[in-house]
Amino acid sequence: MARRRSLLRLGPAVPIVLSLTASLGFLPTAASATPQVRPTAQAEDARTLSYVVNTTTDRRTIAAVRQAITAAGGTIVVGYDGIGVIVAHSADPDFGERLRAVRGVQSAGATRTSPLSTVGTTGEGPVQYLTEAEAAKLTEASGGETEPLEAEQWALRTIGADKAARINPGSRDVTVAVIDTGVDDTHPDLSPNFSPSQSANCASGKADTTYGSWRPADPAYFHGTHVAGSIAAARNGIGIAGVAPGVKVAGITVAQPTPRQLIYAESVVCAFVFAADHDVQITNNSYYVDPWQYNCLDDPDQKAIVDAVNRAQLYAQRKGTLTIAGAGNSNHDLASDAIADGRSPNDSTPADRTIDPHRCLDLPAQLPGVVTVSATSAKNTKSYYSNYGLGVIDVAAPGGDRYQASDAPSGHPGVLSTLPGNQYGYEQGTSMATPHASGVAALLKSAHPHATPEQLQALLKTQADNPGCPADPYDGNGDGVVDATCAGGRRVNGFYGFGIVNALRAVR
């Protein structure tokens, strides 16, 4: 894992990837989802799991379900009464089944497969840190750019964000919240645009707004800080620039403070509700909800996860927040009839299974109303790792591809952005594509301040440039084997959706 250093080091980048699923339930009609916290003194042991219990939203039902949770030996962590979601802990392996039999409970299930105390190690690989010597060389090659490292940001040029900033860098009335592993707001490229009042730590399932709680628990948890820089790094003569350097950026931490940095459903529910209740216009979601790469609606636990997360993101949409999410990095066709999933659950022992992506969903990317983003290379081709799928992908954005060199001075194929501890480094993935799309959405929201999430999504699709499906069979890694098949036409297709986002067109 990366450690804090006085030098900025560069190495191969592997993005954190997470999955999302979709429950097609309706948003409850309550006006607010402000959490109602009810602490208990019950001790948790090594067998304790976390659960989401989803109910109708009338007060009498919620009160009865709360009593049933307590009677079943559960501990209520937090209740989001406006959307009918209660987060609870229990050491009883039959807790979910018992709660599903309670009147008024619509779904209930465990959000993880290992106890709360379990920790593990990361297998994502090191980020590529930029050394001081490399930074000095790149600054010299910048050709007088305002930002010393901007010449290395091929992704900005690819979508016209460098030119867009001269026309409209974005409005201070627009905030993009990075729901992720934490954001280091002390970074000099982030601090001018960071919004503490719209930031929190939701890792436990309820929001902690203590000052600084949104920062990563360890400098090695770089992912959220990298994402934030791509969105809104300030044009201040330091380091890099974001796609929308004039907007505000917030951090909502959802990753567990352990080496594996897993992101569970209750944390994401908390994040969506917090963002909606704190006037956030756009959320960036470069992850999938652990522990299931795909959540299947025929499994009661996974169905409850889908239901809870979907209720929260629908609530956010109703409150005016657009959700933008990465499609994932498995080169899966999300519009196919079957996908082999050998990575779930990732918090205990994975098992091979074949899933139907129409019934087993990547969360939050496949939820209704969410903008799903695929990744492209410096050559505007589909990145070799990016998931795809006709009717699933909405837009594409630069995410990097190690097989496609860029026009940057270094030729590096990854995306350069901010890292904790005033550092910079490269990563690749749909995790990197998503913030470029979020940045363009922020520019559109700046130009159209009264646009609803639905209208903003339509604008994002309208301004995109679609290269169409490739003429030749797609061989992402150049080994002579066809790796993916693009379905669709020039207007919309499975690789790019409605096209690659265009920041310059957005501001014009």
Side-chain angles (χ1 to χ4, degrees), residues 3-35:
R3 306 280 188 216
R4 186 184 296 272
R5 294 179 174 84
S6 57
L7 295 181
L8 309 161
R9 189 178 57 78
L10 259 174
V14 184
I16 296 173
V17 186
L18 306 158
S19 141
L20 328 163
T21 97
S23 152
L24 304 180
F26 293 99
L27 178 70
T29 57
S32 173
T34 302

Side-chain angles (χ1 to χ4, degrees), residues 18-22 287-289 293-295 326-328 334 357 360-367 387:
L18 306 158
S19 141
L20 328 163
T21 97
Y287 61 88
Y288 70 78
V289 176
Q293 186 175 15
Y294 300 98
N295 285 268
L334 300 177
C360 300
L361 306 175
D362 181 352
L363 293 181
Q366 288 182 270
L367 291 174
N387 288 350

Side-chain angles (χ1 to χ4, degrees), residues 354-378:
T354 299
I355 63 97
D356 176 359
H358 300 92
R359 295 287 299 168
C360 300
L361 306 175
D362 181 352
L363 293 181
Q366 288 182 270
L367 291 174
V370 173
V371 176
T372 307
V373 184
S374 64
T376 57
S377 71

Side-chain angles (χ1 to χ4, degrees), residues 276-291:
D277 288 344
H278 288 78
D279 196 31
V280 167
Q281 287 75 39
I282 299 163
T283 62
N284 186 98
N285 301 267
S286 293
Y287 61 88
Y288 70 78
V289 176
D290 297 301

Side-chain angles (χ1 to χ4, degrees), residues 264-325:
Y264 290 113
E266 62 270 26
S267 305
V268 176
V269 169
C270 170
F272 282 140
V273 172
F274 181 87
D277 288 344
H278 288 78
D279 196 31
V280 167
Q281 287 75 39
I282 299 163
T283 62
N284 186 98
N285 301 267
S286 293
Y287 61 88
Y288 70 78
V289 176
D290 297 301
W292 305 98
Q293 186 175 15
Y294 300 98
N295 285 268
C296 297
L297 298 176
D298 60 358
D299 179 279
D301 290 318
Q302 294 168 46
K303 181 181 185 297
I305 291 171
V306 172
D307 193 7
V309 174
N310 192 51
R311 289 177 183 222
Q313 72 88 18
L314 287 176
Y315 173 78
Q317 287 184 45
R318 287 283 185 90
K319 295 275 281 188
T321 304
L322 177 66
T323 303
I324 301 181

Side-chain angles (χ1 to χ4, degrees), residues 240-255:
I240 66 162
V243 174
V247 306
K248 292 187 293 186
V249 64
I252 305 178
T253 301
V254 287

